[in-house]
Amino acid sequence: MSDVRLSATSYVVLGMIALRGPSTPYELKRAVGHSVGYFWHFPHAQLYSEPDRLAGLGLLELAVEATGRRRKTYSLTDAGRTALKDWLSSPTHEHFQMRDIAELKLFFNEAGDPEDDIPALARDQIKQHEERIAVYEGMVERFGDDPHAQPRMITLELGLEMEHAALRFWSALADGDLDRLRAARSARRNRG
């Protein structure tokens, strides 16, 4: 098992099945779309192919309906549970990745017309971050008191912090007031 490489998608599949119990690829896709899909993007087609690969490695058990649509349902094996537990307890050495298309556009905007492009980009980003904040706050209202959701609410709090930070940045850029961000950063550095 040590020579087998598992990807982040592998662990998403193992983790979702550990949380949900036996699942079809379609159920995995829906569950990911309503949870980790908010902050971890990958092609959903992988949720249809990765379970077969993990079953071939002995990390999932496959059951296929004998009749009808012959749906495949995957369950976590002891080896799969161990692989997930080992991954969860191992240190994370990769640095945080933001992968924000708007940030790329901002970086390369010198090639365009900054007077037109940057304010429009900032306004669009403000709208998008405000919408995502509303979605996350709605989730907090719906699931905040659910004891089963509590461990994952911490991730939601991180998402809210990141969205608010991005909103502050794009708002300052739209207002032409990056000095406000620089002053806040300087104040944080002086407190720390």
Side-chain angles (χ1 to χ4, degrees):
M1 190 62 197
S2 62
D3 59 339
V4 173
R5 296 207 25 100
L6 298 180
S7 66
T9 302
S10 304
Y11 292 113
V12 167
V13 170
L14 293 173
M16 274 298 163
I17 292 174
L19 286 173
R20 295 181 38 77
S23 302
T24 66
Y26 177 75
E27 290 167 337
L28 289 173
K29 181 175 103 44
R30 285 185 49 94
V32 165
H34 295 292
S35 59
V36 298
Y38 283 106
F39 58 87
W40 187 264
H41 300 282
F42 57 91
H44 288 291
Q46 292 176 355
L47 293 174
Y48 287 90
S49 60
E50 189 63 12
D52 279 333
R53 185 176 90 84
L54 295 174
L57 295 172
L59 302 176
L60 295 178
E61 183 177 316
L62 170 62
V64 181
E65 288 179 340
T67 61
R69 296 173 53 198
R70 301 186 50 82
R71 286 186 301 189
K72 295 179 177 183
T73 301
Y74 298 88
S75 304
L76 205 57
T77 63
D78 288 340
R81 193 171 311 284
T82 299
L84 179 61
K85 184 179 178 186
D86 290 349
W87 177 71
L88 290 170
S89 64
S90 68
T92 301
H93 298 289
E94 293 95 20
H95 182 72
F96 167 77
Q97 295 180 25
M98 191 155 56
R99 296 182 56 108
D100 182 10
I101 298 296
E103 186 179 6
L104 281 178
K105 288 182 176 187
L106 184 61
F107 181 83
F108 290 114
N109 200 277
E110 289 182 272
D113 185 357
E115 283 80 35
D116 293 336
D117 296 340
I118 291 176
L121 178 63
R123 286 189 302 273
D124 181 59
Q125 290 305 299
I126 290 166
K127 180 179 179 222
Q128 288 187 42
H129 289 289
E130 287 173 339
E131 288 172 358
R132 183 54 60 104
I133 288 167
V135 168
Y136 285 174
E137 288 175 345
M139 293 168 77
V140 169
E141 287 176 23
R142 281 194 312 276
F143 303 113
D145 295 332
D146 181 353
H148 298 294
Q150 287 303 316
R152 286 169 292 288
M153 294 302 287
I154 296 168
T155 307
L156 187 56
E157 292 298 331
L158 176 60
L160 274 165
E161 287 295 320
M162 292 170 54
E163 290 295 331
H164 280 288
L167 181 60
R168 280 191 303 275
F169 171 81
W170 290 107
S171 295
L173 187 61
D175 294 343
D177 193 8
L178 287 178
D179 289 337
R180 179 177 71 210
L181 289 176
R182 291 181 185 116
R185 185 178 64 240
S186 179
R188 282 192 304 272
R189 195 172 32 236
N190 291 337
R191 282 192 309 250

